[in-house]
Amino acid sequence: LAKDAGRACFRFFTRALQEGAEERVRLASELRRAIDAGQIELYYQPIIELASDRIVKAEALMRWKHPELGFVSPATFIPIAEDTGTIHDLGEWAFAQVVKQTGQWRNLLGPDIQISLNVSPAQFNTGPQTFQRWIDALRTAGVPGANLVVEITEGLLMDNAPGIRDSLLCFRDAGIGVSIDDFGTGYSSLSYLKKFDIDVLKIDQSFTRNLSPDGADFALCEAIVVMAHKLGLKVVAEGVETAEQRDLLCQIGCDYAQGYLFSRAVPAGEFEALTLRHT
Ligand code: C2E
Ligand code: MG
Ligand code: MG
Ligand code: MG
């Protein structure tokens, strides 16, 4: 009986795996056409300055409205895009959108607005040329680098390729901010914090989720904030969902917060309305 159950389970498992693989192949080919078909959109999630309670930044997050499947999560399609190379087209498209949007919001919401854009490790493969082009595009659009923040992951900085250092220098020279996404979940080496010019640490939501005054996560968040400030970096806490989490983050001097407590990622028009109402 146990053997039968095992076999049934195995069969189920392989089928699920196979369907998973077929689904990925399907999504990969559809994703390639999704940009031109107008199915990809950038949503914006507000980032609040805790001391002033003002919306001062936003993170651009990609959304794919699939005609049959509905919303496909970026947690699903970004890894597929990275595996198949489509991330380059998606990344260029997102950058172009962000430049256009930031130019408009500088006028409408204020010249200090900062928009952060997630950039995949694969986008660093071509070396700094890609980002030199970005900087030219910003200049052409009249958008200062200071209005843009690039979000990268810790793993990228563990890669010793010289192209990565050059790319980061490129950002620094253009005044573009560099932010470490999901901080604390990647490799545990901190040496990259002194090797590279980083501006912001984004504490991963796995640390903010269970914040309580005498818990380990609270101690870790406080230690991250203290360390960051000593190094001259700012800190954003991700995944802030409750007023209690916000209050604890305020207490330890965390600079910014992002999460459902304030707003989910919303379409550009809604972000605009929200920010105008909020400030
Ligand atoms: P991320 O960059 O760490 O983005 C934060 C994720 O947390 C977003 O998920 C956001 O919607 C979600 N989030 C924000 N506040 C809360 C909260 O209070 N509670 C919870 N439970 N979740 C919250 P999303 O939009 O599904 O994006 C998932 C990931 O996909 C992103 O993680 C990022 O790694 C990737 N991604 C999204 N857009 C892009 C993009 O344009 N380019 C690249 N390369 N990656 C992207
Ligand atoms: Mg991010
Ligand atoms: Mg994150
Ligand atoms: Mg800097």
Side-chain angles (χ1 to χ4, degrees):
L1 194 81
K3 217 172 164 190
D4 277 356
R7 210 172 294 135
C9 188
F10 179 72
R11 211 176 304 128
F12 172 77
F13 185 60
T14 38
R15 178 141 46 83
L17 264 183
Q18 207 179 329
E19 276 170 7
E22 280 163 14
E23 172 98 333
R24 276 175 70 89
V25 170
R26 174 186 173 188
L27 289 180
S29 75
E30 291 176 339
L31 185 54
R32 220 166 291 128
R33 293 184 292 265
I35 302 175
D36 291 335
Q39 295 166 8
I40 309 282
E41 195 178 342
L42 283 182
Y43 275 33
Y44 294 87
Q45 185 175 33
I47 299 175
I48 274 76
E49 183 177 53
L50 284 168
S52 66
D53 197 36
R54 286 176 56 240
I55 299 172
V56 290
K57 311 171 192 257
E59 176 173 6
L61 292 160
M62 234 178 245
R63 296 292 177 258
W64 180 11
K65 279 180 205 159
H66 190 286
E68 288 143 38
L69 303 173
F71 273 106
V72 180
S73 165
T76 302
F77 74 79
I78 294 290
I80 294 175
E82 289 174 336
D83 287 349
T84 55
T86 312
I87 193 66
H88 295 285
D89 288 340
L90 280 176
E92 289 298 319
W93 175 85
F95 170 74
Q97 292 292 309
V98 161
V99 173
K100 208 165 23 158
Q101 194 57 260
T102 306
Q104 291 172 11
W105 283 342
R106 272 175 54 78
N107 297 323
L108 196 73
L109 305 176
D112 298 327
I113 186 85
Q114 278 192 316
I115 304 300
S116 51
L117 178 67
N118 293 284
V119 180
S120 289
Q123 294 175 264
F124 285 79
N125 287 348
T126 48
Q129 296 97 301
T130 302
F131 305 119
Q132 276 303 348
R133 261 196 299 105
W134 284 17
I135 289 160
D136 292 341
L138 282 170
R139 198 171 300 127
T140 306
V143 175
N147 292 113
L148 182 69
V149 178
V150 162
E151 294 197 8
I152 58 176
T153 50
E154 290 173 283
L156 179 75
L157 302 179
M158 295 294 107
D159 192 336
N160 265 323
I164 290 169
R165 164 172 299 278
D166 292 343
S167 297
L168 294 177
L169 287 172
C170 210
F171 291 138
R172 187 193 63 190
D173 293 345
I176 296 169
V178 175
S179 185
I180 306 293
D181 208 350
D182 308 333
F183 181 77
T185 60
Y187 299 87
S188 57
S189 166
L190 292 173
S191 61
Y192 68 79
L193 289 177
K194 62 176 188 192
K195 281 208 300 228
F196 298 107
D197 189 0
I198 308 297
D199 303 289
V200 176
L201 301 184
K202 294 191 79 172
I203 302 180
D204 188 67
Q205 30 186 290
S206 58
F207 297 105
T208 39
R209 190 169 305 139
N210 300 308
L211 277 188
S212 69
D214 38 37
D217 288 333
F218 186 53
L220 282 173
C221 285
E222 181 168 29
I224 291 171
V225 170
V226 169
M227 175 187 71
H229 286 172
K230 290 211 169 178
L231 292 170
L233 313 179
K234 300 285 191 190
V235 181
V236 178
E238 301 192 275
V240 179
E241 295 185 354
T242 69
E244 193 199 2
Q245 291 166 343
R246 180 202 51 208
D247 293 345
L248 289 170
L249 290 161
C250 278
Q251 204 179 305
I252 57 176
C254 183
D255 304 283
Y256 306 99
Q258 173 181 359
Y260 297 167
L261 173 65
F262 310 100
S263 170
R264 289 178 181 256
V266 293
E270 250 176 77
F271 172 76
E272 208 172 281
L274 193 72
T275 306
L276 288 171
R277 223 181 315 129
H278 197 85
T279 43

